[in-house]
Amino acid sequence: MRVLVTGGAGFIGSHLVDKLMELGHEVRVLDDLSEGSLDNVRRWLEDERFEFIKGDMRNPEIVKEAVKDVEAVFHLAANPEVRIGSQSPELLYETNVLITYNLLNAMRDSSTKYIVFTSSSTVYGDAEVIPTPEDYAPLEPISVYGGAKLAAEALISGYAHTFGFRALIFRLANIIGERSNHGVIYDFINKLRRNPEELEILGDGTQRKSYLHVSDTVEGMLKIFEHFRGIEKTVDFYNLGNDDWITVREIAEIVSGEMGLKPRFVFTGGVDGGRGWKGDVKFMRLSIEKAKKTGWRPRLNSYEAVRRTVGELL
Ligand code: NAD
C-alpha cells in the first residue's frame, strides 16, 4: 500500500512508520516538526519507499499535495497536550479539528479509501462505567482536548458517509514508550534529573489510569486495520488500552526505583478533588474486549509498560 502518516515524525507516528516500512509499504510522512523530530525517522530518509514532507496541516494546499495517490491516511498529527487546553483552546482547535477538516476536504477530491484516526480516551470524560466500552454514552469530554478529538471523530464520520471513504477510529489510553516527549513518566524523569531529592507530583497521586506500550499500540492499530479492511462497515471505533490500571503514586515509585533514588514526594493537591490539572480525567480504564475479538492482545500490562518505558527513556 502507499500510505500517508500525518504526524509521522512524532512519538507514536514514528513507531507506526517503522512498522509500515518493515512490512514493505510505501510511506509518506507529513509533519511540521513542531513536536516531532527528524531523528525519529532518520533511518528511512535514504529509502526510496519513504518520503518526508515538512509542512503545517493548517495550510490546506500542503495537505492536498500530501494525500495525492495514497490509499490510506493514518492521521496522527495533533497537539496532544491536554494540559494546555485552559490557556490555549484555539491551538487545540486548530491542531486537532481544523487540520482534520483540511485533511477530509483533501480526501474528498482524491482516490484515498481509508482514514485511520488516533482519537483519545478523553472523549469519554468522567465515565461512569469502567472499563468503558466504545458504545458508552453520553460522550461528555471534560477537557478542550477531549472536545476537539470528539469533534474530529464526528467530522470524520460525517465525511466518510457523505463522500464514500471508510474510517477507523482508535480511542487510545495513555500511550508510553521510547521517543515519548510528554506525559507523566517523561515529566518525572526530568524532574528527578534536576532534583533527585524531591519529586513534585501533580494532583493527589490517586489518579488511576491505564497505560499501553507503543509497540502494543502500533501492533493493535495495524492488526485491526487489516480486520477492518475485510468487513463492510463505513466507520468503526476501537478502544486500545490495557486490562489493568496504575496510580500516579505507583508510577512515581517505579520511576524513582528504576533511577535508584528515594525522593520525597510532594503532592500539589491539584484541582477539583485531586486532578492533576483542569480537565484531567482522574480514573480511566477502557474496555478492550472489542479489540481483543480481532485477535490482538497487549503483550505488556500497565505496570510492565511503565517499567519498560522508564528503562527506554533513561
Ligand atoms: P506527538 O506530539 O509526538 O506527535 C504528533 C506529531 O504531529 C508531532 O510530530 C508534531 O510535530 C505533528 N504536528 C502537530 N501539529 C501539526 C501540524 N499543524 N501540521 C503537521 N504536523 C503537526 O504526539 P503522540 O503522542 O505521538 O500522539 C500521536 C496522536 O495520538 C495524536 O493525535 C494524539 O492526540 C493521539 N493520542 C496520543 C496519546 C498518548 O498517550 N500519547 C493518547 C491518546 C491519543
Side-chain angles (χ1 to χ4, degrees):
M1 261 197 311
R2 184 179 287 158
V3 303
L4 170 68
V5 182
T6 76
F11 160 47
I12 304 173
S14 64
H15 285 276
L16 180 66
V17 167
D18 286 349
K19 199 79 198 171
L20 288 165
M21 287 296 292
E22 281 157 15
L23 290 169
H25 298 290
E26 287 179 40
V27 180
R28 183 182 294 156
V29 165
L30 173 60
D31 198 302
D32 68 353
L33 300 179
S34 54
E35 290 294 324
S37 161
L38 213 47
D39 282 339
N40 289 341
V41 291
R42 194 166 298 283
R43 62 185 278 215
W44 304 116
L45 289 178
E46 300 298 317
D47 196 305
E48 58 182 22
R49 285 185 292 113
F50 183 80
E51 184 187 351
F52 182 81
I53 303 174
K54 181 173 185 292
D56 186 337
M57 291 183 70
R58 285 175 286 195
N59 179 339
E61 295 310 315
I62 288 173
V63 183
K64 247 183 216 151
E65 235 358 81
V67 297
K68 265 194 192 142
D69 304 322
V70 300
E71 193 180 336
V73 179
F74 290 81
H75 178 38
L76 283 78
N79 187 318
E81 202 49 77
V82 185
R83 259 192 271 177
I84 66 168
S86 46
Q87 298 98 47
S88 313
E90 64 288 351
L91 185 61
L92 287 186
Y93 164 75
E94 285 179 8
T95 57
N96 286 285
V97 188
L98 178 66
I99 69 171
T100 303
Y101 169 75
N102 286 345
L103 175 61
L104 291 167
N105 277 331
M107 285 179 65
R108 244 181 98 166
D109 306 324
S110 77
S111 55
T112 310
K113 293 197 192 83
Y114 303 98
I115 176 169
V116 178
F117 177 56
T118 46
S119 184
S120 149
S121 64
T122 57
V123 300
Y124 296 116
D126 284 328
E128 283 170 20
V129 178
I130 289 180
T132 313
E134 288 84 353
D135 57 4
Y136 176 83
L139 294 176
E140 185 186 340
I142 62 163
S143 61
V144 175
Y145 170 78
K149 283 292 188 196
L150 185 55
E153 284 189 9
L155 276 179
I156 290 170
S157 175
Y159 268 71
H161 282 279
T162 307
F163 297 108
F165 45 82
R166 302 181 57 209
L168 176 59
I169 294 173
F170 289 107
R171 294 177 177 154
L172 306 180
N174 287 336
I175 310 303
I176 54 177
E178 195 180 352
R179 303 179 201 157
S180 68
N181 59 0
H182 46 83
V184 62
I185 301 174
Y186 179 82
D187 276 355
F188 283 170
I189 289 176
N190 284 334
K191 281 176 178 167
L192 286 171
R193 279 185 172 145
R194 284 196 300 271
N195 181 2
E197 307 289 321
E198 185 179 296
L199 178 59
E200 183 200 60
I201 299 175
L202 302 182
D204 63 7
T206 66
Q207 305 100 299
R208 187 185 281 269
K209 306 183 197 196
S210 192
Y211 292 80
L212 185 66
H213 194 264
V214 67
S215 55
D216 280 327
T217 312
V218 166
E219 205 176 292
M221 286 175 68
L222 291 177
K223 180 152 200 127
I224 294 167
F225 181 52
E226 270 321 298
H227 169 81
F228 178 70
R229 283 182 3 126
I231 62 170
E232 295 283 305
K233 279 196 160 167
T234 302
V235 181
D236 212 354
F237 298 82
Y238 284 86
N239 290 334
L240 281 184
N242 236 313
D243 280 319
D244 65 337
W245 49 352
I246 178 168
T247 66
V248 170
R249 177 188 258 280
E250 287 170 310
I251 293 176
E253 281 159 4
I254 294 174
V255 175
S256 311
E258 298 285 314
M259 292 177 81
L261 301 171
K262 280 205 161 101
R264 195 170 53 254
F265 291 164
V266 179
F267 297 92
T268 63
V271 296
D272 300 343
R275 300 174 194 271
W277 53 88
K278 193 92 190 149
D280 180 26
V281 173
K282 215 171 163 197
F283 302 104
M284 181 273 287
R285 182 155 60 95
L286 306 178
S287 165
I288 53 170
E289 294 312 308
K290 186 172 172 186
K292 279 184 179 168
K293 285 200 183 113
T294 66
W296 170 79
R297 255 173 195 61
R299 287 170 210 269
L300 304 176
N301 65 25
S302 291
Y303 285 84
E304 292 161 343
V306 167
R307 205 161 269 124
R308 167 87 62 96
T309 298
V310 178
E312 288 168 344
L313 294 183
L314 285 176

